[in-house]
Every structure is written in structure tokens, then in C-alpha cells.
């Protein structure tokens, strides 16, 4: 079974590498926007998810000409948060920089598919929270969340000509709460365009 798996991976890399020489660009710049469904897990309790958004620009660069492996980075503005008992909620806005590795492969003449995996780093710049009808800043002196958020990201993208559709998941590695034991979890769907 292990030999079969290795042979399959080697074949994929060879076919993908041949396709990269014919079809894939060496670099691209694009824009992305979409929907976030985020929540927070703390002390074994997962709070209700909340809808938000993300918008940003991305840059992709081919790492090697023999394999269609790309480095992707960019800058996003993204909204995360959560709800507690329907009425209490927290909004958190971040500037985020992802650093991902993409492996592209052709799916017929028109489509390119690629999984992505890597890290993201976010810095919180704004946010409002409400608990028992009292409003306060999510970050800062009176807030309960740390501004820094580092995590892992995994996604899958389908590309048709210059249009893209992606779905993925972010998972915080470090505690986002000032009192610890709070981690952001975000599912996202994006649409995009490469110039």
C-alpha cells in the first residue's frame, strides 16, 4: 500500500510538473473577497459562530520550474468574532498576512485545482464587544482579546481562466484571549480574480 501511494504521488508530481511548463504562470497578482464563519473555543466550550468578511490582495510566485509549487502571500482585512447566548457578541477586525504553499494541477483544458497549506499572522486593529448591554473595545486596555493571532491555514481552490473559488479553514495556534485558553476558528469561502 505504501509503495502504491508513493508511486501515485510521484506520478502526480511528474504530470503536474509537465503541465506547469506548458500552462502555469510564473507569478500572479490577484484580489480575493468572501465570507467568514468564525467562532471561539475556550475552556472546552465552543461559542456560536458569527458571519464576517475578508477582502485582500495576493501574490503568487512559482518556486521551481520542475514542480508546480507556488508560494502565496498577501494582505487581508478580515472580520472574526463570536456570539454568546444570541445577545452577547464580540467583533474583531484584523490585518492578516498568510504565507502558503500551493500545489497546482490541471483538471482538463479549462480548470486548475490546488490545495494550499501554511501559516497566517493577524494583528487586531479594531473591534467592539457587547456583554449584558455594555459595549467596550475588543482589543486594548479594556478588551479581553490579544491583538496578535498566529495560526495555520488550509484551503482548496478551483481556478477557471482568471476567476477563482476557494474554501478553507483557519486554526489559531496561540491563545487569543488575554486570560488565555481562547482560540479563533474560522471557516471561509472566497471568490477572486487574478490579473
Amino acid at each position: 500500500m505504501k509503495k502504491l501511494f508513493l508511486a501515485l504521488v510521484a506520478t502526480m508530481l511528474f504530470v503536474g510538473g509537465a503541465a506547469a511548463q506548458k500552462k502555469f504562470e510564473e507569478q500572479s497578482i490577484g484580489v480575493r473577497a468572501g465570507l467568514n464563519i468564525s467562532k471561539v473555543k475556550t475552556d472546552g466550550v465552543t461559542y456560536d459562530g458569527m458571519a464576517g468578511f475578508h477582502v485582500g490582495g495576493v501574490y503568487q510566485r512559482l518556486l521551481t520550474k520542475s514542480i508546480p509549487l507556488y508560494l502565496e502571500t498577501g494582505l487581508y482585512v478580515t472580520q472574526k468574532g463570536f456570539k454568546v447566548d444570541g445577545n452577547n457578541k464580540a467583533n474583531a477586525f484584523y490585518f492578516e498576512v498568510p504565507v502558503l504553499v500551493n500545489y497546482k494541477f490541471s483538471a482538463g483544458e479549462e480548470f486548475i485545482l490546488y490545495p494550499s497549506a501554511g501559516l497566517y499572522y493577524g494583528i487586531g486593529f479594531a473591534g467592539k464587544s457587547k456583554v449584558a448591554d455594555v459595549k467596550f473595545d475588543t482589543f486594548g486596555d479594556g478588551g479581553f482579546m490579544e491583538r496578535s493571532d498566529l495560526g495555520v491555514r488550509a484551503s482548496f481552490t478551483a481556478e477557471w481562466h482568471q476567476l477563482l473559488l476557494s474554501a478553507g479553514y483557519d486554526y489559531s495556534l496561540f491563545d487569543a484571549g488575554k486570560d488565555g485558553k481562547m482560540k479563533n476558528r474560522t471557516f471561509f469561502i472566497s471568490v477572486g480574480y487574478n490579473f
Side-chain angles (χ1 to χ4, degrees):
M1 185 70 170
K2 186 178 177 183
K3 289 181 181 179
L4 178 63
F5 175 74
L6 292 174
L8 204 63
V9 169
T11 303
M12 233 172 83
L13 291 174
F14 176 75
V15 171
Q21 293 173 356
K22 295 178 187 175
K23 184 174 183 178
F24 299 143
E25 297 179 359
E26 285 195 23
Q27 62 183 348
S28 66
I29 296 173
V31 291
R32 309 284 187 269
L35 172 71
N36 292 341
I37 303 295
S38 59
K39 57 186 175 181
V40 166
K41 186 173 183 180
T42 177
D43 292 327
V45 178
T46 302
Y47 294 108
D48 295 336
M50 190 167 78
F53 71 92
H54 61 270
V55 61
V58 300
Y59 174 74
Q60 291 185 36
R61 176 79 182 170
L62 185 65
L63 293 174
T64 172
K65 293 191 177 184
S66 60
I67 300 172
L69 204 59
Y70 284 76
L71 177 70
E72 179 180 320
T73 189
L75 178 64
Y76 287 85
V77 172
T78 187
Q79 178 189 14
K80 298 181 180 181
F82 61 94
K83 294 179 186 176
V84 181
D85 300 328
N87 192 26
N88 303 321
K89 62 181 181 177
N91 273 307
F93 293 90
Y94 294 88
F95 291 118
E96 273 188 2
V97 176
V99 179
L100 307 172
V101 175
N102 306 335
Y103 178 77
K104 296 189 177 186
F105 56 94
S106 296
E109 294 289 322
E110 302 287 324
F111 289 94
I112 297 171
L113 304 175
Y114 57 92
S116 304
L119 299 172
Y120 72 88
Y121 176 73
I123 184 84
F125 68 90
K128 292 289 184 186
S129 296
K130 184 176 80 166
V131 176
D133 295 325
V134 176
K135 294 182 180 179
F136 56 93
D137 287 337
T138 303
F139 304 109
D141 294 336
F144 64 95
M145 290 185 75
E146 297 285 355
R147 289 190 185 274
S148 238
D149 183 26
L150 176 69
V152 293
R153 174 173 295 174
S155 63
F156 191 83
T157 301
E159 185 176 335
W160 178 69
H161 297 282
Q162 293 170 287
L163 301 173
L164 297 96
L165 178 65
S166 300
Y169 191 73
D170 290 347
Y171 181 92
S172 285
L173 292 175
F174 300 120
D175 289 319
K178 289 184 178 177
D179 59 355
K181 298 182 181 176
M182 177 183 287
K183 296 192 184 292
N184 285 315
R185 311 276 191 268
T186 306
F187 170 76
F188 62 87
I189 298 174
S190 297
V191 293
Y193 183 82
N194 283 341
F195 298 102

